[in-house]
Amino acid sequence: MGRESRLETLHGALLAKAGQPVLFGDLVRAVWGDEPPAGPLPALRSLVRRLRQSVDDEIVTDASGYRLVVRRPGPAQLPADLPDFVGREEELAALCSTDSPVLAITGPPGVGKTALAVRLAHRVRDRFPDGQLHVDLRGFATGPAVTVEQALGRFLRALGVPPANIPVDLDEQVELYRAKLQGRRVLVLLDNATELSPLVPDVEGCKAIVTSRNELPGQTRLAVLADDEAGALLDRLKIDGTVDDRAELIRLCANLPLALRIAGAHLADRHLPDYLADLRGDGRLDALEIEGDAAVRAAFALSYKALPSAAQRLFRLLGAHPGADFDLPDALVLGDLSTEDGEWLVRVLVRSGLVQEAGERFQAHDLIRLFASELVGSEGPPALLRLTSFYLGTACHAAELVAPAVTRLDPLPLVLEGRTFTTTAEARAWLDARRAVLVAVVQVAPHPFASHLADALRGYLNYCGYRTDQGTMLVAGLTSARAAGDRVRETAMLNGLGHLHWRLGAYSQALESYGAAAELATSDLMKGTLLNNMGLVKRDIHDLNGALADMEAARRVSLGHPPLYLTVLSNLGTVHGVRGELRKAIEYFEEAVRLSEEHGFLIKTAVAHENLGVVHTDLGEYDRARRHLEAAWTGYQQAISAEARPNVLINMAEVAGLAGDHEKARTLASRGLELARKIDEVRVEVEALIVLDELDTAIELANRINFPLGRRKAQLKLARHDPALATELLRDVRDSGDLLLESKAVLALAEATDDATLVREALELAKAREQGAVVARAEEILAQPPANGGSTSS
């Protein structure tokens, strides 16, 4: 049987039991029958790796086999088609028949670009079975535009990329975006773009529809509706009248679809002659035209003047909202309204045609939003302050549930209290649903709300992997604080940016941000926090003397702040561990357990137990390691934080494997992998893949997220059978200064080359650092008789 047919057989065997684990042995028999290869499991793993590269279905490693998860349907993000769309048949026919990968629809505001683009997208969607992506880039809106990075982040998530796997660098985002689209047929609708950007896929089989007011290459430039098309729209809108009156309405609305639709909504309970009289009069106000479209402004003005005064006020206040859409609570806050009054007034705005309903949310054309923002005047800043205060109060409460361990700025007095949540899931759902609006609010919020909102959300954004949004918020908060000369909040924003850079592996930028913050810090708590953070970065780049100095300084200034002091204590233990001083590390972790228990800090107690479990694993003391890790897991459960700790399961899996219980190791690692993917803990995902021997996948993922330690751990397993890789790995480990990995890398090279001298070198290194597991393995190798009756080198 050839390689390709084996691949097809494997895929068929997995597909036959899609969603269920298929035993390793059953798969080997399905592929090779009664003549399995000499190493069936490695051969099967190699075949699975090839299959993962050739199919879109996900293949999950379970404890006893592989499980195929059938590819989910592609994204379906197209907005609903307009039921009253008319005309444009000539343009539609031309656009549908072209093979161009980019269909650009341009024209003045209100001419119906979006309506045509959506109609076109629905007409051709069947040609793109792998899904449709859509984003309103808000290139001409009053609030903040959607950046290319933000839009790419949304697209990548829709294409199945976990948030934590999405790069921050634009070029890397574009590369991943195009890689995810390769081999697929996906339609991309980009509304209100200012130019052709990397959001255009440039991938064979995919197509982009782009709308813009600006000139674009290969554009279809829309003019206003022809008279007969405008008449057909009036028919759809059920606007009756004489031929002359209808013709005058079309003329006064300048044949613009948006103006005609607004007029249609306004005419629902009025006679056409009366409306025309108003439209002919001062209401047309050419001096107030929007980018030359007096007809649009006239229609807006008449609909606005017909509103009750309370609805007029709410409409004006909606001009202060910076997001792309709003919900009922937003409207209540902006207008300082009761629920009953707010619901009624929003309905009045919907009936007027100035606001459109989209599920539980509401939208307005960007020209209407511009009209509202010009009317709001002095009412705008107090309304924005109420909205920002509401969002800050709500975000603080939600973030406390979703990311409770994050130290935040002292609370601000709020103009308006936010909503509260009863469960973490409810809080997370609100944050996920409102994230885009929150990003927009931070960029326009008054000081000091911008900094506080960015600070309140950084834990959630970091925890959930929304790096681009996190960076946007922190930069906006930093700009606001610096403009106000506010050192306290500038320090907090720099600290947040330092943490973001650290998580991204940009260590020099992290130290630069932390250092700038440390120069500004005025409190011992913030100074200790920054020293601790700098110590962690230096630990990761193996500047261990610098890490110890920063940590010791942090410990001194944090004595009056128990939560921070205990964090520093545990981190000091990790630095000593990386230095190979495992017994010294244990002293710090045991003290951290004792003091955390005294203060009743459940999570910090659990963290210290987990650290003890890791160190005892290195020492080869597996029973002690297991007890500490089980205590950590119990502690996290008691603190309602077990979901966020798949790393404990991976550590327990490693202990089980080293102790010889490989089935339990795979069970724990599979469970940890599933949980890590659920909450986008990509580093833990790498560690789980290593335990499960999915080494190539682990290395690829570690490289993507700049996790060199994970890459080296995976390479350790491969290096035992590859002298060239083992040599390269040992050089890399020594260059990095990783003392605990050095003995393991030497031993891997010894096994790859069958060199007893290197085994003894690894043994001596491991003994010096009390790495019991490495010592036991080295002694086991030395006790074995030479292979083939020969002699090993000495």
Side-chain angles (χ1 to χ4, degrees):
M1 185 184 293
R3 288 188 174 184
E4 293 309 315
S5 56
R6 286 197 185 109
L7 211 59
E8 292 171 4
T9 302
L10 175 62
H11 190 211
L14 290 167
L15 194 58
K17 295 185 177 180
Q20 304 174 40
V22 185
L23 298 176
F24 297 123
D26 290 346
L27 291 172
V28 170
R29 281 188 289 276
V31 175
W32 286 280
D34 296 330
E35 299 180 4
L41 289 183
L44 179 62
R45 283 197 295 270
S46 176
L47 202 61
V48 167
R49 281 197 294 273
R50 291 183 56 224
L51 184 60
R52 282 177 170 145
Q53 295 169 358
S54 63
V55 300
D56 290 318
D57 298 333
E58 183 181 6
I59 301 171
V60 178
T61 304
D62 281 317
S64 55
Y66 292 104
R67 173 167 49 92
L68 183 138
V69 180
V70 177
R71 174 184 176 184
R72 292 175 293 179
Q77 298 184 339
L78 291 184
D81 199 3
L82 276 176
D84 56 12
F85 184 90
V86 298
R88 308 298 192 194
E89 288 303 326
E90 185 177 333
E91 292 92 340
L92 275 170
L95 289 164
C96 285
S97 63
T98 181
D99 292 330
S100 173
V102 181
L103 305 178
I105 301 171
T106 64
V111 79
K113 299 183 295 295
T114 297
L116 175 60
V118 171
R119 171 57 59 96
L120 172 63
H122 280 281
R123 187 166 289 189
V124 302
R125 68 183 300 170
D126 289 345
R127 304 179 194 174
F128 302 92
D130 295 309
Q132 306 87 39
L133 297 168
H134 166 257
V135 64
D136 181 356
L137 293 167
R138 294 170 50 78
F140 308 95
T142 54
V146 175
T147 66
V148 174
E149 291 89 343
Q150 288 173 319
L152 279 172
R154 297 177 195 177
F155 282 180
L156 287 168
R157 288 190 289 275
L159 291 168
V161 180
N165 287 16
I166 296 174
V168 172
D169 179 76
L170 176 59
D171 290 340
E172 293 180 10
Q173 283 186 336
V174 173
E175 183 181 358
L176 181 57
Y177 173 52
R178 291 175 179 163
K180 295 298 291 184
L181 292 177
Q182 284 293 340
R184 297 186 181 187
R185 299 184 64 82
V186 174
L187 180 65
V188 181
L189 174 54
L190 307 173
D191 200 12
N192 291 309
T194 57
E195 60 183 353
L196 295 182
S197 72
L199 293 168
V200 174
D202 194 23
V203 172
E204 185 178 357
C206 296
K207 189 183 287 288
I209 301 172
V210 186
T211 74
S212 180
R213 297 183 196 175
N214 297 340
E215 302 266 335
L216 295 177
Q219 66 188 11
T220 296
R221 187 79 179 172
L222 291 191
V224 297
L225 292 174
D227 286 345
D228 58 339
E229 292 176 327
L233 179 55
L234 296 185
D235 291 340
R236 291 283 182 89
L237 297 172
K238 299 181 179 179
I239 297 177
D240 296 323
T242 67
V243 172
D244 289 342
D245 283 349
R246 283 165 54 98
E248 185 176 6
L249 176 64
I250 291 170
R251 180 180 61 79
L252 290 173
C253 288
N255 292 60
L256 285 164
L258 178 61
L260 288 166
R261 285 195 174 90
I262 295 293
H266 195 75
L267 282 164
D269 56 359
R270 292 191 65 188
H271 293 297
L272 180 54
D274 295 338
Y275 183 74
L276 288 172
D278 289 340
L279 202 56
R280 295 187 205 106
D282 293 338
R284 201 157 186 273
L285 295 176
D286 288 352
L288 296 178
E289 60 186 310
I290 300 174
E291 298 189 19
D293 293 314
V296 176
R297 176 65 68 104
F300 293 171
L302 285 178
S303 292
Y304 169 73
K305 288 180 178 179
L307 294 171
S309 59
Q312 287 183 347
R313 174 177 175 271
L314 178 59
F315 174 75
R316 293 194 302 270
L317 294 176
L318 290 175
H321 194 291
D325 54 22
F326 67 95
D327 59 12
L328 181 61
D330 291 349
L332 301 181
V333 169
L334 284 167
D336 197 15
L337 300 166
S338 68
T339 301
E340 183 179 357
D341 289 344
E343 287 179 344
W344 175 71
L345 291 173
V346 169
R347 288 293 159 202
V348 170
L349 294 179
V350 171
R351 288 196 298 271
S352 75
L354 294 170
V355 168
Q356 288 81 47
E357 191 169 5
E360 294 183 356
R361 310 195 59 71
F362 303 91
Q363 298 172 329
H365 190 284
D366 57 1
L367 290 182
I368 295 176
R369 294 172 61 83
L370 175 60
F371 180 65
S373 69
E374 291 174 349
L375 293 174
V376 68
S378 61
E379 298 173 300
L384 179 60
L385 183 60
R386 285 194 299 273
L387 185 71
T388 305
S389 182
F390 170 77
Y391 273 136
L392 177 59
T394 308
C396 284
H397 186 261
E400 284 288 349
L401 291 172
V402 173
V406 177
T407 301
R408 300 181 177 87
L409 286 166
D410 292 337
L412 279 180
L414 299 177
V415 177
L416 192 68
E417 295 296 326
R419 61 175 292 191
T420 58
F421 306 95
T422 55
T423 66
T424 299
E426 186 184 357
R428 170 73 185 267
W430 184 87
L431 289 167
D432 288 345
R434 306 307 288 143
R435 190 182 72 256
V437 173
L438 290 166
V439 173
V441 169
V442 170
Q443 294 177 79
V444 299
H447 181 77
F449 286 88
S451 302
H452 275 259
L453 193 49
D455 185 67
L457 291 167
R458 64 187 174 86
Y460 152 72
L461 294 169
N462 176 68
Y463 171 75
C464 298
Y466 298 117
R467 312 286 189 234
T468 302
D469 289 343
Q470 186 180 4
T472 299
M473 284 192 175
L474 288 168
V475 169
L478 179 63
T479 301
S480 173
R482 282 178 170 167
D486 189 331
R487 290 183 58 171
V488 171
R489 292 171 180 88
E490 182 180 355
T491 303
M493 295 298 95
L494 286 167
N495 179 45
L497 284 168
H499 188 76
L500 177 61
H501 291 315
W502 175 38
R503 293 281 295 185
L504 293 171
Y507 299 116
S508 60
Q509 291 173 272
L511 288 173
E512 182 180 343
S513 292
Y514 284 142
E519 291 181 7
L520 294 170
T522 56
S523 70
D524 283 346
L525 178 60
M526 182 54 78
K527 287 177 182 175
T529 297
L530 291 162
L531 286 165
N532 172 75
N533 293 346
M534 286 190 286
L536 290 173
V537 176
K538 291 176 182 178
R539 179 198 66 188
D540 284 2
I541 61 175
H542 288 276
D543 174 10
L544 301 182
N545 290 332
L548 272 184
D550 286 342
M551 291 289 185
E552 288 292 356
R555 184 165 67 154
R556 288 193 296 273
V557 300
S558 65
L559 279 170
H561 305 279
L564 176 60
Y565 180 80
L566 290 167
T567 296
V568 173
L569 208 59
S570 282
N571 288 336
L572 266 169
T574 67
V575 175
H576 283 289
V578 175
R579 284 165 61 97
E581 299 163 355
L582 300 180
R583 296 295 175 186
K584 184 71 172 175
I586 284 176
E587 292 177 15
Y588 281 102
F589 295 143
E590 287 180 340
E591 184 180 358
V593 168
R594 180 179 62 81
L595 291 175
S596 297
E597 287 177 341
E598 285 182 9
H599 287 280
F601 296 148
L602 292 176
I603 290 181
K604 292 187 182 296
T605 304
V607 168
H609 273 301
E610 186 179 0
N611 286 329
L612 282 166
V614 172
V615 175
H616 283 296
T617 301
D618 271 322
L619 289 167
E621 299 168 354
Y622 302 136
D623 286 339
R624 288 186 178 183
R626 189 181 301 109
R627 286 197 298 273
H628 283 295
L629 292 172
E630 288 172 352
W633 182 253
T634 300
Y636 291 135
Q637 287 179 314
Q638 290 173 345
I640 320 177
S641 185
E643 184 184 13
R645 300 293 174 171
N647 43 295
V648 185
L649 295 171
I650 307 307
N651 288 326
M652 294 167 73
E654 186 175 356
V655 171
L658 289 168
D661 192 343
H662 300 292
E663 183 176 351
K664 183 176 181 181
R666 295 190 68 84
T667 300
L668 289 167
S670 297
R671 185 179 168 198
L673 177 62
E674 184 178 354
L675 187 53
R677 285 174 170 167
K678 179 180 177 182
I679 63 172
D680 300 321
E681 280 287 354
V682 190
R683 290 192 176 199
V684 182
E685 183 178 345
V686 172
E687 301 274 9
L689 290 167
I690 293 170
V691 176
L692 293 167
D693 288 331
E694 297 292 337
L695 303 175
D696 290 342
T697 306
I699 291 170
E700 179 187 352
L701 188 55
N703 285 333
R704 189 190 309 162
I705 63 170
N706 193 17
F707 182 28
L709 178 59
R711 184 193 71 240
R712 294 180 192 123
K713 285 183 176 181
Q715 288 173 331
L716 268 175
K717 284 192 168 184
L718 291 171
R720 292 170 183 151
H721 310 289
D722 186 335
L725 176 59
T727 301
E728 180 185 343
L729 174 63
L730 179 57
R731 186 184 305 115
D732 181 27
V733 167
R734 283 177 166 160
D735 287 345
S736 74
D738 192 326
L739 301 180
L740 292 182
L741 271 186
E742 183 183 14
S743 62
K744 299 176 183 179
V746 172
L747 188 58
L749 180 58
E751 291 186 77
T753 58
D754 198 24
D755 189 333
T757 301
L758 287 172
V759 177
R760 285 190 282 271
E761 181 183 346
L763 179 61
E764 292 307 312
L765 287 171
K767 282 182 176 178
R769 292 157 192 167
E770 297 188 70
Q771 292 176 274
V774 182
V775 169
R777 176 61 181 154
E779 290 178 340
E780 179 186 346
I781 294 172
L782 290 172
Q784 293 172 356
N788 301 321
S791 60
T792 57
S793 58
S794 61

